[in-house]
Each structure stands twice: as C-alpha cells, then as structure tokens.
Amino acid sequence: MQIIQNRRQFLGGLTAAGGAGLFKVGPSNATGKPAPETTTVRLGRWVGGAYCWASLYLAGELLRADGLTDVRYVEGDTKVDNTEWLAGGVTDFDFNMPSMHIRSIDAGARIKILTGVHTGCWELRADNSVNGIADLKGKRVGIWALDDHPHVFLTLIVNYVGLDPDHDIEWVVGSPMQDFIDGKVDAFLAGTSEFPKIRSEKIGHTIVSNLIDRPWSQYFCCMVAGSVDYVEKYPVATKRVLRAILKSADFCASDPMSAAHELVDRGFLPSYDEALLTLQETQHDKWRDYDAEDSVRFYALRMQETGMIKSSPQQILANGADFRFLDELKQELKM
C-alpha cells in the first residue's frame, strides 16, 4: 500500500478555502452543524487511470475545507480489483461498479453501498462480423483479467440476451484494445480513457453503450461504498465525504472543462483530453435522478441469475446498503 501525499496532488495551487469556493460550498461548521468525529479519511487512487473517479479525486479539497483535514489518497494493490481495498481495510470508501460492491457484500464483506454517482463508463466495440450482442456467440472477446469489473459487466451483458458466458464466449485475457487492433479478438469493452482513441481512429463500432442503451443506461455505473466500521463510527464524517463527492459530481457536470483542468493540475490524471471526454460522456448529474436502490436491485438480480452470488437482491439491500445519507443530501443540495 502506498499513501499518495504530495503538495501538487493535494493542493494543486489552491488553498482549502479556494477549493471550497471553486465548488460554491462552505464548511458545514459554518452552518452550526456538528464537527466530524474524525479528521481522517482514506480514499482510493488508481495511478495512471480511473478517469471516471473524477468526483472522488476532486472531493479532497472540499473535505479539507469541511473539517476532514487529513484526506489520504491511497493506492492499493493494483493486481486486484479495488473493491478488495475497501473489503481489506486499505480504504474507507470505494468507487466502483455496483456489481463489484454486490459481490463483496455477498461474500460477507463489511461494506455499505451509499450512493450512485454517474453512468456511461463503457462501450462494447466490435468488428464488422458482430452487429449485436447475440452475434458474440462463438466469438473472441478481449478482457484485461478474469473476474475483474469489466469481465463481470460483460458477463452480465451476454447473459442478459440468453448467451452462456462460460461456453458461448471465448474470453481472451490481454490488452483488449490492442488485441482488437491486431485481429486477435472480435470485440472488447472500451473504458472512458480509451474513448478518444476509438473515436479518432474509428476502432470498431459500438454494440452496447451503458450511456444510451437500455437497460444498462438506466442504472448507475459507478457507486460509492463505505466500510461499515467507518460509517457506523463516524456518521457525520461519512455524510461529509458523500457531500463532497456529490458536490464534485455537480461541478463535473456543470463545468467539465474546469474540472478536467483541476484533475490534471492536481496530478490525479495525466491527460486533459481524456479527462474532458470522460466528463462529457459520463452523466455526473444522474445522482439526483437515478434510484440507487433500484440500481443495486437490478445488478443483484442479474448476478443471482448468472450464479455469481447466492444472496437475493433483498438480502443484498438489507445487508449492504444504507441510503439515509443520500436521502438527506438530495434535500440539502437541491439546485
């Protein structure tokens, strides 16, 4: 585990007060609300990528202005999915697809899904032999690794149209986009950091986009989960963490150009163009409109159908979701 703490990332040329002014939000203490029970929080950081984590990265400055002065961005083991960072106690909050949170909850991890943030992280791209998901039967599909969140998402997509993910698809582990370019696979799942290249170079064509294609576009792609130990012990701090993330999401939606500059200037992301396109194509204002509980229920049902989890959607919600903070924040942050 490596804790990322340098002046460029944390301050980026801004004071805590300046950061708060940027998002048009003042410290909670100024309104007479109780101080947080702790001044420390650990958030994840994926070095060199995770463009869809923008609101998590931008939340740090707001948190410092709001009483959580010790905000630590932690890089966990990049050989495992970052949900394992949360389940293993490396981070206090995790930014991930609902499917990965649900899998952790089913396995008994002490985590709670707290809010959704946005959708639109993925496009399934294919060559001319594939015109729809059903055409993937017998095809080679490129993935980064077995059982990581892109592979899990693809498995749910193909199962939804009646294909058997274990027998109808040839999963090819490697570098999906490059393998597609080299003709080694027939389709691959492109993430937001790859959108500029696939657009400019016209790499394949889109079969499914979770920004526009139902049912996937109707549900959150990225949701926030927190450690039960942190959430139960520090409810005031937890609410401030979520408040900062959701205020940052509003900033990403309303001013993507400025948000992209901030992400690069603070050292969280290397490419302004990739950051900007990500913010333009992921709907960061959907946290107000989409139903977080409905997203968890939808993904849990799909995962139960494929045999990925044993728990029912009702059990997942009962054991691993807590939307009281979100309900309060939707009222407090009305625009």
Side-chain angles (χ1 to χ4, degrees):
M1 178 184 71
Q2 178 185 2
I3 298 178
I4 309 298
Q5 288 181 299
N6 65 59
R7 184 171 181 82
R8 184 183 177 208
Q9 288 165 211
F10 275 168
L11 299 182
L14 294 173
T15 64
L22 179 66
F23 299 104
K24 297 181 176 62
V25 59
S28 291
N29 286 342
T31 61
K33 295 183 179 181
E37 307 89 346
T38 180
T39 59
T40 300
V41 63
R42 298 170 301 166
L43 306 174
R45 179 179 188 268
W46 198 280
V47 174
Y51 282 78
C52 58
W53 291 13
S55 59
L56 183 74
Y57 293 154
L58 293 174
E61 217 60 65
L62 291 177
L63 286 170
R64 293 185 191 90
D66 212 17
L68 276 81
T69 54
D70 184 13
V71 181
R72 307 179 187 183
Y73 281 92
V74 180
E75 177 194 347
D77 183 358
T78 56
K79 295 179 182 178
V80 301
D81 191 89
N82 47 282
T83 45
E84 296 189 30
W85 304 358
L86 178 62
V90 176
T91 56
D92 300 312
F93 295 89
D94 179 53
F95 212 87
N96 214 319
M97 294 193 68
S99 52
M100 305 311 287
H101 295 317
I102 290 166
R103 190 167 72 172
S104 292
I105 294 163
D106 182 66
R110 285 176 50 80
I111 70 171
K112 294 284 187 181
I113 302 173
L114 303 171
T115 184
V117 181
H118 64 76
T119 188
C121 286
W122 303 105
E123 285 189 10
L124 178 60
R125 308 283 289 191
D127 61 25
N128 291 331
S129 69
V130 180
N131 294 311
I133 302 171
D135 294 335
L136 291 174
K137 185 173 183 178
K139 300 295 185 179
R140 303 162 300 170
V141 178
I143 55 175
W144 290 274
L146 292 169
D147 293 327
D148 68 355
H149 59 279
H151 178 229
V152 169
F153 183 47
L154 275 174
T155 297
L156 297 177
I157 288 175
V158 299
N159 182 76
Y160 192 76
V161 299
L163 296 182
D164 183 337
D166 295 327
H167 299 98
D168 291 338
I169 304 295
E170 180 183 347
W171 301 106
V172 179
V173 176
S175 299
M177 182 167 64
Q178 189 58 51
D179 288 344
F180 181 82
I181 293 171
D182 295 340
K184 296 178 181 179
V185 298
D186 306 297
F188 73 103
L189 193 65
T192 53
S193 64
E194 296 167 315
F195 286 178
K197 184 176 178 68
I198 63 174
R199 301 278 195 278
S200 63
E201 299 184 19
K202 299 180 180 179
I203 299 172
H205 64 281
T206 302
I207 300 301
V208 176
S209 163
N210 72 336
L211 178 64
I212 59 175
D213 292 314
R214 297 183 175 220
W216 314 102
S217 62
Q218 297 173 286
Y219 304 100
F220 285 113
C221 175
C222 286
M223 302 190 78
V224 176
S227 159
V228 168
D229 292 339
Y230 194 101
V231 172
E232 291 185 349
K233 189 175 182 180
Y234 309 128
V236 175
T238 296
K239 185 174 177 180
R240 294 197 184 187
V241 170
L242 297 183
R243 182 173 183 260
I245 291 172
L246 296 178
K247 286 296 297 184
S248 296
D250 284 343
F251 178 54
C252 290
S254 64
D255 193 352
M257 293 180 67
S258 294
H261 277 300
E262 290 296 326
L263 290 163
V264 174
D265 289 346
R266 298 186 194 190
F268 284 112
L269 299 175
S271 170
Y272 169 78
D273 290 339
E274 291 179 14
L276 179 59
L277 187 57
T278 295
L279 297 179
Q280 290 172 332
E281 298 204 15
T282 49
Q283 297 176 329
H284 277 74
D285 56 350
K286 290 300 182 183
W287 72 267
R288 297 176 181 275
D289 304 322
Y290 280 22
D291 188 325
E293 181 176 324
D294 202 29
S295 291
V296 174
R297 185 180 294 107
F298 172 81
Y299 273 93
L301 181 59
R302 304 283 82 75
M303 295 175 76
Q304 187 183 36
E305 289 173 346
T306 63
M308 289 183 185
I309 61 173
K310 296 180 180 179
S311 304
S312 68
Q314 293 76 14
Q315 290 172 320
I316 293 296
L317 284 165
N319 297 331
D322 184 349
F323 298 124
R324 58 194 163 110
F325 303 105
L326 175 61
D327 292 340
E328 293 174 6
L329 288 166
K330 281 187 175 182
Q331 293 300 313
E332 293 175 17
L333 299 179
K334 282 184 177 179
M335 298 181 71

